[in-house]
Every structure is written in structure tokens, then in C-alpha cells.
């Protein structure tokens, strides 16, 4: 099978390619947060195995039932707030701090990549976990952030995970409202059928086209346009390295495809892969 580990030396060879590369893009998906206890989407026990994305992760669903959508996102927020970065998140954060020519493009909305920078600096991240500022321009969130809310009308965002449904009142009363115009707030994530932020997406593709290596970890590579980011590196003559316990549609195009958990493989791949 193209790309799978052929010999134990493959990890060292892949690490060397990362070390020597001019420009590295890391693309992550929900699998990178799996070892932190955040459910993935399409695994057997994933979110879409238990919930219908058309009922909860589309603008139509929010128009139809804002209370129901908020109840689901509030549950996910509470679950994510109890999670901590795992060794895979920390390895990526260290790598980004050491390699100014590297950027992280994530599909994840759980804020654990940002929190990993906080954790690197201290044993425990702050208890009241607002969305910590990511190092400017180093983390591109393609699908938004679960811990941020956005006004459905005026677009104002609130980096406040506690903008939860107000207690009491009838269900409609419990939907958080914008502090500026009073319209409904929505989770600041990209739903199916919604355009991604154009500037963020353009930057992701620009950096991928320039990169000599695109390291892809923890994604089923099924959701577009995110899944097309590594193809920009390939079109530019670069190398794709994949980390995933299972094959994906990207595996045949990967120069290396390591079968295993990102919490174990990312520290091995990125350790010491600082600039040559
Ligand atoms: C758009 C909301 C323009 C946030 C999500 C037909 C063909 C192709 C595309 C389309 C199509 N029809 C429609 C489309 C476009 C659609 C799309 O791609 N659909 C797919 C599903 C067919 N895309 C869109 O709608 C996007 N917008 O294109 O706008 C447009 C406009 C109108 C009409 C058409 C186009 C918007 C996409 C964003 C959707 N938002 N969620 C939220 O609530 O969270 S989707 C969801 O999927 C998340 O955002 C997630 O980030 C994303 C990708 O999932 P993954 O992260 O890869 O997670 P998954 O569970 O799938 O896989 C986990 C992987 O980890 C697995 O491979 C597993 O093996 C691995 N793993 C497990 N454990 C570990 C591990 N790996 C490493 N270590 C471990 N320990
Ligand atoms: Zn507003």
C-alpha cells in the first residue's frame, strides 16, 4: 500500500524530511484530540454515529431549532472544557515555537491547540478557560471555534465559553443573545453548506502551496475544502506525511503514512525537527 510504514527507519527518514524542509504545514483533524477525550465525528463512536449533522450542524438546523442546536453545542462545550491537550498537541506547539516557517491549519474547533501553548508555559492551563490567543497567524482555524459565539446578524463575536443558554424561562429564552444588537448568538463554527472564512482558507492554501512538507494528522480527509489543502503541497512538488490509525483517501498520495495514534507518533516525528 503506498505510503504505509515500510521499515522502522521510516520515522527517522520522515523526521529528516521535516527537519530539512523549507516551509511545513501541519493539517489536523478530530483524531488529534481523540486521546484528550474529545469525540471524533466519523469513527464508530463518533458524533455523527450518534447525532445527525443535518439536524445540528447546518444553518437550516439553527433556523429551525436554535434551542436544540444550542443544547447540543453547549453539551459539546462542557465536554471540551474538561479536556486537556495531549502529547500530540504539545509536540505541535513546541514545533511551531521552534520553526518560524511552520503553520498549523486545523479543522478542530476544540481550542486544544491554542491551549497547548498555554500548557507549555505552565503545568496547568488557567481554570477559567476563555479561548487563549494563539500565536498570531500560526494557527489557522478553518472551521471556527466551539468556545466562541458569533451574532447571527451583526457578526460580533464573544470569546466566552460561558455564553451558555440562559437558565430558566422557556426554551427560546435560553438562546444567548448579542450584547450589541440583541439578535441570536450562534456557535462560531462553520456548518455544512457554509463558506469558510475566505482569508483563512486562502492563507492555508498559500502556505500549503509553498511548503515542502504537509504533515496530516487525525483527519478522515473527507470534508472539503479542508481535505484539499495537502493537495496544494503535492501540486507544488512537496511531500505529504500522514499520521492516522486507518487509511484515508489521502493515503495513496502520501510519501509516508504512519498507522498509529497521533499522541505517540507526533512527538516521535517532530522531536528535534528544528530548522536544519
Ligand atoms: C463548503 C461543524 C462551500 C463544526 C463540520 C460532495 C462532495 C464533496 C464535498 C461536498 C459534497 N457535498 C457538499 C460538500 C461540501 C461539504 C463536505 O465536504 N461534505 C463532505 C462531508 C461530503 N463541505 C462543506 O459544506 C464546507 N463548506 O464547502 O462551502 C459550499 C457551500 C454550499 C454547498 C457546497 C459547498 C463546510 C465544512 C465544515 C463542516 N463542519 N462541523 C462542528 O460542529 O464541529 S464537519 C466536521 O468534519 C468537523 O468540522 C471536522 O473538523 C471535519 C473533518 O472531520 P475530521 O476532523 O477529519 O474528523 P473525522 O471524525 O471525520 O475523522 C477522524 C480521523 O481521525 C479518522 O480518520 C480516524 O481514523 C482518525 N483518528 C482517530 N483516533 C486517532 C486518529 N488519528 C490520530 N490519532 C488518533 N488517536
Ligand atoms: Zn449582533
Amino acid at each position: 500500500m503506498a505510503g504505509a510504514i515500510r521499515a522502522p527507519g521510516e520515522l527517522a527518514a520522515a523526521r529528516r524530511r521535516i527537519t530539512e524542509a523549507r516551509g511545513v504545514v501541519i493539517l489536523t483533524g478530530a483524531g488529534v484530540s481523540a486521546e484528550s477525550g474529545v469525540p471524533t465525528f466519523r469513527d464508530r463512536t463518533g458524533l455523527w454515529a450518534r447525532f445527525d449533522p443535518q439536524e445540528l450542524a447546518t444553518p437550516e438546523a439553527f433556523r429551525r431549532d436554535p434551542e436544540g442546536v444550542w443544547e447540543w453545542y453547549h453539551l459539546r462545550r462542557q465536554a471540551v472544557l474538561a479536556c486537556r491537550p495531549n502529547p500530540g498537541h504539545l509536540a505541535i506547539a513546541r514545533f511551531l515555537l521552534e520553526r518560524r516557517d511552520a503553520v498549523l491549519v486545523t479543522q478542530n474547533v476544540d481550542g486544544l491547540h491554542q491551549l497547548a501553548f498555554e500548557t507549555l508555559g505552565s503545568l496547568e492551563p488557567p481554570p477559567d478557560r476563555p479561548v487563549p490567543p494563539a500565536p498570531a497567524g500560526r494557527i489557522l482555524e478553518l472551521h471556527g471555534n466551539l468556545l466562541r459565539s458569533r451574532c447571527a446578524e451583526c457578526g460580533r463575536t464573544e470569546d466566552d465559553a460561558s455564553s451558555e443558554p440562559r437558565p430558566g424561562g422557556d426554551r427560546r429564552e435560553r438562546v444567548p443573545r448579542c450584547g450589541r444588537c440583541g439578535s441570536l448568538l450562534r456557535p462560531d463554527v462553520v456548518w455544512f453548506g457554509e463558506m469558510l472564512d475566505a482569508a483563512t482558507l486562502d492563507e492555508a492554501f498559500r502556505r500549503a502551496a509553498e511548503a515542502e512538507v504537509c504533515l496530516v494528522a487525525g483527519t478522515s480527509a473527507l470534508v472539503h475544502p479542508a481535505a484539499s489543502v495537502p493537495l496544494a503541497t503535492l501540486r507544488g512538488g512537496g511531500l505529504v506525511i500522514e499520521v492516522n490509525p486507518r487509511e484515508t483517501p489521502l493515503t495513496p498520495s502520501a510519501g509516508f503514512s504512519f498507522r498509529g495514534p497521533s499522541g505517540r507518533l507526533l512527538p516521535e516525528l517532530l522531536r528535534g525537527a528544528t530548522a536544519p
Side-chain angles (χ1 to χ4, degrees):
M1 165 187 50
I5 294 184
R6 292 181 287 276
E10 295 294 292
L11 265 170
R15 187 186 309 115
R16 204 167 30 255
R17 294 292 298 273
I18 295 170
T19 304
E20 292 163 1
R22 280 191 313 278
V24 176
V25 165
I26 301 179
L27 172 70
T28 61
V32 165
S33 295
E35 291 153 89
S36 294
V38 180
T40 61
F41 292 90
R42 295 168 188 83
D43 285 330
R44 198 172 26 77
T45 56
L47 287 173
W48 298 154
R50 291 172 282 151
F51 301 97
D52 177 359
Q54 293 310 316
E55 294 299 312
L56 292 161
T58 63
E60 296 74 22
F62 187 69
R63 273 193 291 278
R64 186 175 51 245
D65 180 13
E67 302 84 355
V69 169
W70 260 114
E71 280 159 12
W72 186 58
Y73 276 90
H74 179 56
L75 281 177
R76 285 179 61 196
R77 269 184 178 178
Q78 295 314 305
V80 157
L81 284 167
C83 297
R84 290 290 175 262
N86 67 55
H89 293 109
L90 295 172
I92 291 172
R94 276 191 202 93
F95 181 75
L96 288 175
L97 289 172
E98 289 164 3
R99 288 285 299 262
R100 304 298 300 168
D101 64 332
V103 70
L104 170 64
V105 177
T106 187
Q107 301 171 86
N108 296 347
V109 296
D110 56 31
L112 288 178
H113 283 303
Q114 292 85 336
L115 195 59
F117 284 94
E118 296 275 307
T119 310
L120 278 186
S122 66
L123 283 181
E124 260 305 299
D128 57 335
R129 205 188 116 185
V131 179
R138 309 298 304 283
I139 300 183
L140 301 175
E141 290 182 309
L142 292 182
H143 294 163
N145 193 301
L146 192 59
L147 305 179
R148 202 167 44 230
S149 305
R150 172 160 54 89
C151 176
E153 288 307 312
C154 72
R156 179 171 178 262
T157 56
E158 299 190 6
D159 267 357
D160 175 359
S162 64
S163 60
E164 61 195 67
R166 293 193 292 243
D170 65 33
R171 284 185 82 215
R172 190 148 191 90
E173 284 307 303
R174 294 211 296 272
V175 176
R177 289 192 172 267
C178 172
R180 179 161 63 190
C181 75
S183 306
L184 297 185
L185 286 181
R186 54 165 283 176
D188 190 16
V189 298
V190 180
W191 283 326
F192 285 107
E194 290 190 314
M195 303 298 277
L196 284 64
D197 174 73
T200 305
L201 190 60
D202 290 349
E203 177 66 0
F205 276 105
R206 187 181 69 79
R207 294 297 295 267
E210 288 171 357
E212 289 188 345
V213 168
C214 183
L215 171 58
V216 185
T219 182
S220 58
L222 293 172
V223 174
H224 291 270
S228 307
V229 167
L231 307 184
T233 302
L234 289 173
R235 282 195 297 273
L239 167 74
V240 168
I241 300 172
E242 182 181 43
V243 170
N244 196 316
R246 278 183 286 285
E247 273 191 53
T248 74
L250 204 57
T251 302
S253 324
F256 297 89
S257 187
F258 297 110
R259 292 283 160 277
S262 50
R264 174 171 64 78
L265 285 170
L266 287 177
E268 288 183 43
L269 269 172
L270 296 175
R271 186 183 2 263
T274 50

